[in-house]
């Protein structure tokens, strides 16, 4: 590759990362409806630069979602290293929700069906095996009933996330109490059959085309 082309590619990626970081910081406070004008102004770039890197708003939303997925994968892998499977699962959910509590735009993204359906499916394919293994370890240790599946943890995450969203302005830590209620229920509930299949995760998180 000619040196000039390599420099241009590096500059383009540097601009992309700058805009992504700027957008994320703004959306943490104001939510997903931050304008391209606001992003360009805060990043110190022109509008043309924003549109070159993210021609459609969906491109920006999907880039933010992909970054979140990478972060969550890292948390899941760290949780899997904990000796106590249940403690790992609880820690994993707490870290996710702490991130959402600090980032309004992320909460809107996860519960607003704005991310690409293809990305949701890819995310589930990456996440489900490691969460399944964590659950299986907890079941073997008699920390969870045998009927618990990954979709049950998704339900807890979404239910607690709804509390987080509703109470953000007046009691930003209320979600922690809701999480303990949800987890206690999961450990002791008499779960009805049939258990939700893994495809329910796609639908709950946004792949509603099926």
């Amino acid at each position: 590759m000619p040196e000039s082309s390599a420099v241009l590619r590096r500059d383009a990626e540097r601009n992309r990362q700058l805009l992504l970081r700027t957008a994320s910081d703004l959306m943490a406070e104001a939510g997903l409806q931050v304008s391209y004008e606001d992003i360009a102004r805060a990043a110190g770039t022109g509008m043309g630069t924003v549109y070159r890197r993210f021609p459609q708003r969906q491109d920006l939303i999907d880039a933010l979602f992909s970054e979140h997925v990478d972060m969550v994968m890292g948390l899941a892998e760290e949780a899997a290293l904990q000796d106590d499977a249940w403690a790992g699962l609880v820690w994993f959910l707490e870290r996710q929700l702490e991130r959402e509590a600090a980032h309004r735009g992320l909460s809107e993204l996860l519960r607003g069906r704005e991310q690409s359906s293809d990305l949701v499916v890819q995310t589930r394919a990456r996440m489900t095996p490691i969460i399944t293994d964590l659950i299986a370890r907890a079941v073997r240790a008699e920390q969870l009933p045998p009927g618990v599946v990954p979709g049950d943890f998704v339900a807890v995450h979404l239910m607690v996330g709804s509390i987080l969203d509703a109470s953000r302005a007046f009691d930003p830590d209320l979600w922690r109490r809701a999480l303990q209620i949800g987890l206690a229920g999961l450990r002791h509930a008499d779960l009805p059959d049939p258990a939700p299949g893994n495809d329910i995760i796609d639908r709950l998180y946004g792949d509603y085309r099926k």
Side-chain angles (χ1 to χ4, degrees):
M1 179 184 299
E3 184 177 353
S4 59
S5 297
V7 170
L8 287 172
R9 288 175 67 89
R10 286 196 297 270
D11 286 346
E13 180 57 23
R14 187 161 50 245
N15 284 335
R16 183 180 183 279
Q17 290 302 320
L18 169 63
L19 293 168
L20 200 54
R21 295 277 61 74
T22 302
S24 181
D25 290 345
L26 293 173
M27 290 176 181
E29 292 293 330
L32 293 181
Q33 297 310 309
V34 169
S35 70
Y36 270 21
E37 290 85 352
D38 290 335
I39 295 169
R41 186 182 307 112
T45 67
M47 287 287 291
T49 302
V50 182
Y51 278 104
R52 278 194 296 274
R53 300 285 75 83
F54 302 103
Q56 303 294 326
R57 191 170 186 83
Q58 190 65 48
D59 299 325
L60 175 60
I61 297 300
D62 287 348
L64 290 170
F65 181 67
S66 294
E67 286 212 334
H68 170 69
V69 170
D70 290 340
M71 183 273 293
V72 172
M73 278 298 301
L75 292 177
E77 290 165 358
E78 193 169 345
L81 296 176
Q82 297 195 25
D83 292 334
D84 187 302
W86 176 249
L89 281 166
V90 173
W91 178 88
F92 173 62
L93 282 171
E94 287 177 340
R95 298 295 86 75
Q96 283 190 75
L97 288 158
E98 284 173 353
R99 169 69 171 154
E100 293 168 37
H103 199 297
R104 177 180 167 188
L106 180 56
S107 287
E108 292 177 1
L109 175 59
L110 292 175
R111 286 176 283 281
R113 297 181 179 271
E114 296 196 44
Q115 67 274 35
S116 161
S117 293
D118 289 339
L119 283 177
V120 171
V121 174
Q122 293 167 21
T123 298
R124 190 258 298 170
R126 292 176 64 190
M127 291 294 303
T128 300
I130 193 167
I131 301 303
T132 299
D133 183 62
L134 280 170
I135 291 171
R137 288 174 56 206
V139 169
R140 288 195 298 271
E142 299 183 346
Q143 297 170 314
L144 278 174
V148 175
V149 296
D152 296 319
F153 274 87
V154 167
V156 170
H157 178 225
L158 289 174
M159 286 187 289
V160 176
S162 295
I163 296 293
L164 186 158
D165 293 340
S167 63
R168 181 186 297 276
F170 57 87
D171 193 347
D173 285 328
L174 184 61
W175 68 266
R176 294 184 184 277
R177 188 178 182 90
L179 177 61
Q180 293 307 313
I181 294 170
L183 291 173
L186 195 58
R187 294 189 79 173
H188 303 293
D190 183 12
L191 297 171
D193 290 326
N198 288 336
D199 65 320
I200 199 68
I201 299 173
D202 301 337
R203 301 186 189 191
L204 288 172
Y205 278 130
D207 186 16
Y208 47 88
R209 299 175 303 174
K210 295 182 179 181

